[in-house]
């Protein structure tokens, strides 16, 4: 190593991996998870803040508060591709530290906005939008860890990295309501003050304990080839339905409970959705390994549609238990779909790219594109709820729209990957079965 740059890295060499590589890779993985976890927490902290804004003296409308929930997803999605290329350009250790430190900006703006009486809505909108930098951290974190592990170990490592980040949503929704309620009244500033030292800790830990890999290079040719393949955009479309639903519902659920069931203390329950959605994601990948990613994804979208109808039933009957149970099922199925859709990508490119090495490069590039496109779904979900509430006073219209989208995803999955045996001539039977 030279200045924390590792110049020789061969994870596919069993002797090197056992002697040195495994220990170094694990160290980088754990501190990557820490930084990504804090990034996800800041990305979605506004989902909790908006619920208490009127009580804290900021009487914004429901429409305005849905905007505050939606805009972090928009910037977070837009940053994912450039953040992916930042790792080979600046080094994984360096960029993890910088991207973690950048979270101080939205955190500081949050503190200023909620502690300054009369702060205009536009400043709140800016602070919420900049929280999206935490969403970009996911892409750079996943890209960085993928360089450290051999092909045989990437699945588990990336699964742990993704789950550790996604759980940041649940932990923020569990802890922040407690933190801002310390003492008498509501103290929204405590949320920002709580995360400030954690941001500094994650940045310092990255500098002290992580490494840069000199051999990590940006593969722009593979990115261009993957972007030119229709299958990349088909899977990206499906990922809007799975990950977009997960992050969109995670951000909106606290406000949905408050507006649809005002007699219920939503802070006690909202975190459960993100928790079960995060924990079910690895199960989706495991299930796809055994049954085929396309089959699991198709059944997942059918289950998401059925869960959506159950949410509508809970609203119509006024039964909060039915509403919450159906939403938790919706989170579980979206988490399974996240895992199975990601599992489809290597199988698709193994069947359709020129060779094994080329297939791996194009699949990695397609995963980056799908991750960025899918994250835009979080914005669309929040906007769907906002428009529905503004037009009808309820969210049933948005739910029917999501149901229609899930049914389209069922059709797309069947048409592109499962219909009869038309595809057998194009896709080797083994790869076809594994898709």
């Amino acid at each position: 190593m030279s200045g924390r740059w590792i110049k020789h890295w061969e994870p596919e060499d069993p002797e090197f991996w056992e002697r040195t590589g495994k220990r170094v890779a694990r160290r980088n993985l754990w501190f990557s998870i820490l930084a990504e976890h804090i990034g996800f927490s800041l990305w979605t902290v506004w989902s909790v803040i908006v619920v208490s804004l009127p009580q804290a003296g900021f009487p914004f409308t429901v429409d305005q508060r849905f905007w505050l929930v939606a805009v972090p997803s928009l910037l977070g999605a837009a940053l994912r591709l450039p953040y992916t290329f930042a790792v080979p350009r600046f080094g994984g250790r360096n960029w993890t530290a910088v991207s973690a430190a950048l979270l101080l900006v939205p955190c500081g703006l949050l503190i200023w906005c909620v502690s300054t009486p009369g702060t205009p809505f536009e400043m709140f909108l800016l602070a919420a939008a900049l929280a999206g930098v935490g969403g970009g951290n996911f892409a750079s974190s996943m890209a960085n860890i993928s360089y450290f592990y051999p092909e045989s170990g990437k699945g588990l490592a990336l699964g742990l990295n993704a789950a550790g980040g996604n759980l940041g949503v649940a932990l923020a929704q569990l802890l922040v309501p407690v933190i801002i309620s310390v003492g008498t009244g509501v103290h929204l500033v405590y949320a920002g003050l709580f995360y400030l030292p954690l941001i500094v800790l994650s940045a310092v830990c990255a500098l002290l304990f992580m490494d840069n890999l000199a051999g990590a290079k940006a593969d722009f040719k593979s990115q261009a080839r993957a972007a030119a393949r229709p299958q990349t955009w088909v899977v990206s479309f499906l990922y809007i339905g799975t990950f977009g639903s997960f992050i969109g519902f995670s951000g909106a659920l606290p406000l949905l409970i408050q507006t649809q069931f005002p007699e219920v203390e939503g802070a006690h329950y909202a975190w459960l959705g993100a928790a079960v959605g995060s924990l079910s994601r690895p199960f989706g990948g495991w299930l796809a390994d055994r049954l085929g990613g396309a089959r699991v994804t198709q059944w997942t979208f059918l289950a998401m549609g059925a869960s959506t109808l159950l949410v509508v039933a809970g609203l119509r009957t006024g039964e909060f238990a039915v509403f919450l149970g159906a939403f938790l099922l919706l989170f579980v199925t979206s988490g399974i779909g996240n895992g199975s859709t990601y599992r489809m990508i290597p199988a698709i490119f193994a069947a359709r790219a020129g060779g094994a090495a080329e297939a791996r490069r194009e699949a990695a590039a397609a995963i980056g594109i799908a991750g960025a496109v899918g994250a835009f779904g979080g914005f669309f979900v929040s906007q769907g709820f906002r428009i529905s509430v503004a037009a009808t006073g309820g969210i049933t219209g948005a739910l029917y729209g999501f149901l229609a989208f899930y049914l389209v995803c069922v059709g797309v999955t069947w048409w592109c990957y499962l219909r009869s045996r038309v595809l057998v001539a194009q896709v080797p039977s083994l790869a076809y079965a594994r898709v």
Side-chain angles (χ1 to χ4, degrees):
M1 291 193 296
S2 175
R4 301 218 63 97
W5 281 88
I6 298 178
K7 297 183 178 180
H8 176 75
W9 188 256
E10 295 185 43
E12 300 295 344
D13 180 351
E15 182 181 351
F16 172 86
W17 180 249
E18 291 298 326
R19 185 181 70 250
T20 305
K22 184 188 297 185
R23 173 177 51 82
V24 175
R26 284 177 177 173
R27 171 163 45 79
N28 280 270
L29 172 62
W30 296 127
F31 288 104
S32 173
I33 289 174
L34 172 63
E36 188 192 345
H37 182 91
I38 301 301
F40 258 87
S41 298
L42 264 293
W43 191 21
T44 54
V45 72
W46 282 92
S47 67
V48 183
I49 297 296
V50 296
V51 174
S52 299
L53 282 174
Q55 191 178 351
F58 299 97
F60 299 136
T61 65
V62 172
D63 186 85
Q64 288 174 315
R65 286 188 285 160
F66 268 118
W67 270 108
L68 295 177
V69 170
V71 289
S73 294
L74 197 59
L75 183 62
L79 289 176
R80 284 192 163 193
L81 276 182
Y83 267 49
T84 299
F85 289 109
V87 170
R89 176 65 180 84
F90 301 106
R93 162 189 176 261
N94 297 347
W95 185 251
T96 301
V98 169
S99 60
L102 285 174
L103 295 173
L104 292 170
V105 176
C107 191
L109 270 177
L110 166 62
I111 292 171
W112 182 82
C113 285
V114 300
S115 61
T116 306
T119 303
F121 173 72
E122 290 74 18
M123 286 303 301
F124 274 90
L125 198 63
L126 175 63
L130 289 178
V133 299
N137 288 7
F138 176 85
S140 57
S141 178
M142 295 290 276
N144 182 44
I145 293 304
S146 71
Y147 291 120
F148 277 93
Y149 278 82
E151 288 297 325
S152 60
K154 283 183 180 180
L156 177 59
L158 294 178
L160 290 172
N161 200 48
N166 290 354
L167 282 171
V169 182
L171 204 60
Q173 292 181 339
L174 175 63
L175 293 180
V176 171
V178 177
I179 292 167
I180 63 179
S181 300
V182 173
T184 58
V186 175
H187 309 280
L188 296 180
V189 70
Y190 289 176
L193 294 175
F194 173 76
Y195 280 110
L196 273 178
L198 295 178
I199 293 170
V200 174
L201 175 67
S202 64
V204 171
C205 285
L207 286 173
L208 293 179
F209 303 114
M210 293 185 70
D211 304 289
N212 303 308
L213 294 180
K217 302 295 183 183
D219 192 348
F220 293 102
K221 290 183 179 179
S222 294
Q223 196 81 29
R225 285 196 297 267
R229 290 188 181 272
Q231 296 301 325
T232 298
W233 301 103
V234 173
V235 178
S236 297
F237 177 80
L238 299 178
Y239 202 54
I240 290 175
T242 56
F243 182 77
S245 294
F246 167 79
I247 199 66
F249 292 147
S250 296
L253 187 57
L255 192 55
L256 293 179
I257 295 175
Q258 185 188 55
T259 56
Q260 304 305 306
F261 296 90
E263 72 282 1
V264 175
E265 183 57 57
H268 293 162
Y269 306 100
W271 66 275
L272 291 170
V276 297
S278 301
L279 295 173
S280 65
R281 179 170 183 153
F283 178 69
W286 175 85
L287 203 60
D289 280 337
R290 283 147 182 81
L291 303 178
R295 293 184 180 89
V296 175
T297 299
Q298 184 182 49
W299 283 105
T300 293
F301 279 121
L302 286 170
M304 291 174 71
S307 302
T308 303
L309 290 175
L310 287 176
V311 174
V312 173
L315 288 170
R316 288 184 171 175
T317 61
E319 292 289 339
F320 176 71
V322 176
F323 172 86
L324 179 63
F327 242 118
L328 293 182
L329 184 58
L330 194 48
F331 273 104
V332 169
T333 51
S334 68
I336 292 173
N338 286 337
S340 65
T341 305
Y342 251 40
R343 174 61 185 87
M344 288 170 63
I345 296 175
I348 292 169
F349 281 86
R352 289 173 177 150
E358 181 183 347
R360 285 196 297 269
R361 288 193 296 268
E362 289 192 28
I367 284 173
I369 294 172
V373 174
F376 280 107
F379 176 78
F380 298 140
V381 167
S382 296
Q383 286 297 289
F385 285 130
R386 183 190 67 81
I387 294 169
S388 181
V389 171
T392 66
I395 63 171
T396 301
L399 291 169
Y400 280 130
F402 302 148
L403 171 61
F405 181 76
Y406 298 149
L407 293 178
V408 170
C409 289
V410 170
V412 169
T413 306
W414 175 82
W415 179 263
C416 293
Y417 305 115
L418 296 173
R419 56 189 169 98
S420 67
R421 286 292 169 181
V422 174
L423 297 178
V424 172
Q426 303 171 351
V427 183
S429 58
L430 180 58
Y432 176 83
R434 301 289 286 178
V435 171

